[in-house]
Short mmCIF file of all heavy atoms in Angstrom, two decimals:
data_model
loop_
_atom_site.label_atom_id
_atom_site.label_comp_id
_atom_site.label_asym_id
_atom_site.label_seq_id
_atom_site.Cartn_x
_atom_site.Cartn_y
_atom_site.Cartn_z
N ILE A 1435 -22.43 7.02 -10.77
CA ILE A 1435 -21.68 7.70 -11.83
C ILE A 1435 -20.65 8.62 -11.17
O ILE A 1435 -21.00 9.48 -10.36
CB ILE A 1435 -22.61 8.52 -12.74
CG1 ILE A 1435 -23.75 7.66 -13.29
CG2 ILE A 1435 -21.81 9.13 -13.90
CD1 ILE A 1435 -24.82 8.45 -14.01
N THR A 1436 -19.39 8.41 -11.48
CA THR A 1436 -18.32 9.27 -11.00
C THR A 1436 -17.54 9.78 -12.22
O THR A 1436 -17.81 9.37 -13.34
CB THR A 1436 -17.35 8.52 -10.06
OG1 THR A 1436 -16.48 7.67 -10.84
CG2 THR A 1436 -18.11 7.68 -9.04
N PRO A 1437 -16.57 10.68 -12.02
CA PRO A 1437 -15.75 11.10 -13.16
C PRO A 1437 -15.00 9.95 -13.82
O PRO A 1437 -14.50 10.10 -14.94
CB PRO A 1437 -14.78 12.11 -12.53
CG PRO A 1437 -15.54 12.69 -11.38
CD PRO A 1437 -16.31 11.53 -10.83
N GLU A 1438 -14.95 8.78 -13.15
CA GLU A 1438 -14.27 7.61 -13.72
C GLU A 1438 -15.18 6.77 -14.61
O GLU A 1438 -14.71 5.89 -15.32
CB GLU A 1438 -13.73 6.73 -12.59
CG GLU A 1438 -12.63 7.39 -11.80
CD GLU A 1438 -11.35 7.52 -12.61
OE1 GLU A 1438 -10.78 6.49 -13.00
OE2 GLU A 1438 -10.92 8.66 -12.84
N GLY A 1439 -16.52 7.01 -14.55
CA GLY A 1439 -17.43 6.24 -15.39
C GLY A 1439 -18.69 5.86 -14.65
O GLY A 1439 -18.99 6.36 -13.57
N THR A 1440 -19.44 4.94 -15.26
CA THR A 1440 -20.73 4.48 -14.72
C THR A 1440 -20.58 3.05 -14.22
O THR A 1440 -20.05 2.18 -14.92
CB THR A 1440 -21.82 4.54 -15.80
OG1 THR A 1440 -21.97 5.90 -16.22
CG2 THR A 1440 -23.15 4.04 -15.25
N PHE A 1441 -21.06 2.80 -13.00
CA PHE A 1441 -20.93 1.50 -12.36
C PHE A 1441 -22.31 1.02 -11.92
O PHE A 1441 -23.02 1.74 -11.20
CB PHE A 1441 -20.00 1.60 -11.15
CG PHE A 1441 -18.65 2.18 -11.48
CD1 PHE A 1441 -18.44 3.56 -11.44
CD2 PHE A 1441 -17.60 1.37 -11.85
CE1 PHE A 1441 -17.21 4.11 -11.74
CE2 PHE A 1441 -16.36 1.90 -12.17
CZ PHE A 1441 -16.17 3.28 -12.12
N THR A 1442 -22.68 -0.17 -12.34
CA THR A 1442 -23.97 -0.74 -11.98
C THR A 1442 -23.82 -1.74 -10.84
O THR A 1442 -22.71 -2.15 -10.49
CB THR A 1442 -24.60 -1.43 -13.19
OG1 THR A 1442 -23.73 -2.47 -13.66
CG2 THR A 1442 -24.85 -0.45 -14.33
N ASN A 1443 -24.97 -2.13 -10.27
CA ASN A 1443 -25.00 -3.10 -9.17
C ASN A 1443 -24.08 -2.67 -8.02
O ASN A 1443 -23.28 -3.46 -7.51
CB ASN A 1443 -24.63 -4.50 -9.66
CG ASN A 1443 -25.67 -5.04 -10.61
OD1 ASN A 1443 -26.86 -4.83 -10.42
ND2 ASN A 1443 -25.23 -5.73 -11.65
N VAL A 1444 -24.21 -1.41 -7.64
CA VAL A 1444 -23.41 -0.83 -6.57
C VAL A 1444 -24.24 -0.78 -5.29
O VAL A 1444 -25.44 -0.47 -5.32
CB VAL A 1444 -22.93 0.58 -6.96
CG1 VAL A 1444 -22.25 1.26 -5.80
CG2 VAL A 1444 -22.00 0.50 -8.15
N LEU A 1445 -23.61 -1.11 -4.16
CA LEU A 1445 -24.28 -1.08 -2.86
C LEU A 1445 -23.78 0.11 -2.07
O LEU A 1445 -22.57 0.33 -1.95
CB LEU A 1445 -23.97 -2.37 -2.09
CG LEU A 1445 -24.68 -2.56 -0.74
CD1 LEU A 1445 -26.18 -2.76 -0.94
CD2 LEU A 1445 -24.08 -3.73 0.02
N ARG A 1446 -24.74 0.93 -1.53
CA ARG A 1446 -24.35 2.03 -0.67
C ARG A 1446 -24.44 1.61 0.78
O ARG A 1446 -25.44 1.03 1.22
CB ARG A 1446 -25.24 3.26 -0.89
CG ARG A 1446 -24.72 4.48 -0.11
CD ARG A 1446 -25.54 5.72 -0.36
NE ARG A 1446 -26.77 5.76 0.41
CZ ARG A 1446 -27.57 6.83 0.49
NH1 ARG A 1446 -27.27 7.92 -0.20
NH2 ARG A 1446 -28.67 6.79 1.20
N VAL A 1447 -23.38 1.92 1.55
CA VAL A 1447 -23.34 1.59 2.97
C VAL A 1447 -23.23 2.88 3.77
O VAL A 1447 -22.40 3.75 3.47
CB VAL A 1447 -22.15 0.66 3.28
CG1 VAL A 1447 -22.14 0.30 4.78
CG2 VAL A 1447 -22.22 -0.61 2.44
N HIS A 1448 -24.09 3.00 4.77
CA HIS A 1448 -24.15 4.20 5.62
C HIS A 1448 -23.55 3.85 6.97
O HIS A 1448 -24.00 2.93 7.66
CB HIS A 1448 -25.61 4.64 5.79
CG HIS A 1448 -25.78 5.85 6.62
ND1 HIS A 1448 -26.98 6.17 7.23
CD2 HIS A 1448 -24.93 6.85 6.97
CE1 HIS A 1448 -26.85 7.29 7.90
NE2 HIS A 1448 -25.62 7.72 7.76
N TYR A 1449 -22.48 4.59 7.36
CA TYR A 1449 -21.84 4.41 8.66
C TYR A 1449 -22.18 5.62 9.53
O TYR A 1449 -21.78 6.75 9.22
CB TYR A 1449 -20.32 4.33 8.51
CG TYR A 1449 -19.83 3.31 7.52
CD1 TYR A 1449 -19.54 3.67 6.20
CD2 TYR A 1449 -19.62 1.99 7.89
CE1 TYR A 1449 -19.06 2.75 5.29
CE2 TYR A 1449 -19.15 1.05 6.99
CZ TYR A 1449 -18.87 1.44 5.70
OH TYR A 1449 -18.41 0.51 4.79
N LEU A 1450 -22.86 5.39 10.63
CA LEU A 1450 -23.22 6.48 11.55
C LEU A 1450 -22.53 6.22 12.89
O LEU A 1450 -22.87 5.27 13.60
CB LEU A 1450 -24.73 6.56 11.73
CG LEU A 1450 -25.23 7.67 12.65
CD1 LEU A 1450 -24.82 9.05 12.11
CD2 LEU A 1450 -26.74 7.59 12.81
N GLN A 1451 -21.57 7.10 13.22
CA GLN A 1451 -20.87 6.99 14.49
C GLN A 1451 -21.32 8.09 15.43
O GLN A 1451 -21.37 9.27 15.06
CB GLN A 1451 -19.36 7.14 14.30
CG GLN A 1451 -18.64 5.96 13.72
CD GLN A 1451 -17.13 6.16 13.83
OE1 GLN A 1451 -16.55 6.05 14.91
NE2 GLN A 1451 -16.51 6.46 12.70
#
Side-chain angles (χ1 to χ4, degrees):
I1435 306 171
T1436 77
E1438 294 290 298
T1440 299
F1441 305 88
T1442 59
N1443 294 322
V1444 173
L1445 185 68
R1446 187 177 80 171
V1447 181
H1448 180 200
Y1449 307 95
L1450 181 60
Q1451 284 191 73

